[in-house]
């Protein structure tokens, strides 16, 4: 920020988005979040905090990770993919769009617009393409050969104590999570690109 001469226009606050004690009511003209509130233990709670710090009439936009309406908790394969994505990404519970919308409304928001932007993706270039593995710069590391090389390198780094203990285990977990993300995308039961725009009513 200093290099771009914008340091006087930006303030950084580190805190808990479930309880933003450093921020007063009605402080912001707008708010956004990107792939973050899916990590909240309670969506009504985090949306309520965002609602609180916004000025009346202000907009809140977000990209959210979801399971789509095609997901079935009674399908064992669906449930396995969902659990893998949650565990690998530190997400308490992936929910369907309707649950998000209900949480926003409970927090007090009006819904302006919603759309799963995965539907705009080109069929030959799906969002999960780089994770699915292929002999390209972006996909090679997710092929069996690429993963094998990564695993050996991580094991050597850990053995030489250049990487913390457990790094190899975490690397393996992330590789499994990549498989779950790809499977969720291919089966159209998961989306990392659910967009919504909501408004705090002007009289609130």
């Amino acid at each position: 920020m200093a290099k771009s001469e914008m340091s006087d226009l930006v303030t950084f606050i580190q805190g808990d988005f479930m309880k933003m004690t450093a921020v007063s009511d009605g402080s912001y003209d707008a708010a956004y979040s990107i792939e973050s509130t899916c990590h909240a233990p309670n969506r009504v709670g985090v949306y309520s905090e965002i609602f609180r710090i916004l000025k009346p009439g202000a907009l809140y936009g977000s990209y959210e990770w979801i399971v789509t309406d095609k997901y079935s908790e009674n399908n064992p394969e669906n449930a396995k993919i969902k659990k893998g994505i949650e565990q690998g990404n530190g997400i308490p519970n992936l929910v369907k769009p309707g649950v998000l919308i209900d949480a926003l409304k409970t927090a007090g928001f009006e819904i302006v617009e919603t759309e799963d932007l995965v539907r705009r993706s080109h069929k030959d270039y799906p969002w999960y393409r780089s994770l699915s593995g292929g002999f390209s710069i972006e996909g090679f590391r997710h092929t069996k050969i690429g993963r094998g090389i990564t695993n050996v390198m991580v094991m050597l780094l850990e053995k030489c104590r250049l990487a913390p203990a457990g790094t190899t285990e975490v690397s393996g977990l992330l590789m499994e999570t990549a498989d779950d993300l790809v499977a969720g995308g291919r089966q159209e039961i998961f989306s990392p690109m659910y967009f919504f725009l909501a408004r705090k009513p002007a009289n609130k």
Side-chain angles (χ1 to χ4, degrees), residues 12-197:
F12 293 95
I13 301 174
Q14 181 177 347
D16 180 356
F17 64 9
M18 298 297 294
K19 192 175 182 181
M20 294 182 272
T21 55
V23 183
S24 301
D25 295 359
S27 298
Y28 287 91
D29 298 316
Y32 71 90
S33 58
I34 300 175
E35 300 180 0
S36 56
T37 53
C38 57
H39 298 279
N42 182 299
R43 283 179 173 77
V44 174
V46 69
Y47 294 153
S48 294
E49 269 295 271
I50 294 168
F51 184 90
R52 179 184 67 80
I53 67 173
L54 287 173
K55 295 177 181 179
L59 292 172
Y60 166 47
S62 182
Y63 281 102
E64 186 76 88
W65 283 27
I66 60 160
V67 283
T68 70
D69 289 329
K70 290 186 177 182
Y71 169 80
S72 172
E73 61 184 11
N74 297 319
N75 182 315
E77 185 179 4
N78 282 190
K80 178 180 178 296
I81 291 169
K82 176 178 180 285
K83 184 177 180 180
I85 294 172
E86 289 168 345
Q87 289 183 335
N89 291 280
I91 298 172
N93 183 34
L94 287 167
V95 298
K96 292 184 177 181
V99 176
L100 292 185
I101 299 308
D102 287 345
L104 285 163
K105 289 180 178 178
T106 299
F109 282 105
E110 299 172 342
I111 307 304
V112 178
E113 179 183 354
T114 66
E115 182 181 0
D116 185 357
L117 295 176
V118 162
R119 295 173 183 171
R120 295 193 188 188
S121 300
H122 193 286
K123 64 176 182 175
D124 295 328
Y125 299 94
W127 63 266
Y128 53 82
R129 184 175 182 229
S130 64
L131 295 173
S132 61
F135 288 93
S136 64
I137 294 176
E138 64 177 8
F140 176 74
R141 67 183 184 278
H142 291 291
T143 63
K144 288 185 178 180
I145 296 174
R147 289 184 176 186
I149 292 172
T150 299
N151 192 53
V152 170
M153 292 297 295
V154 171
M155 287 178 64
L156 288 173
L157 289 170
E158 188 173 342
K159 189 171 183 180
C160 296
R161 298 184 179 180
L162 295 173
T167 301
T168 304
E169 183 179 358
V170 172
S171 177
L173 172 64
L174 293 176
M175 290 180 188
E176 292 175 4
T177 301
D179 291 338
D180 290 322
L181 288 166
V182 172
R186 284 177 172 163
Q187 295 183 32
E188 299 182 349
I189 62 170
F190 168 76
S191 171
M193 298 169 62
Y194 186 78
F195 171 77
F196 65 75
L197 182 65

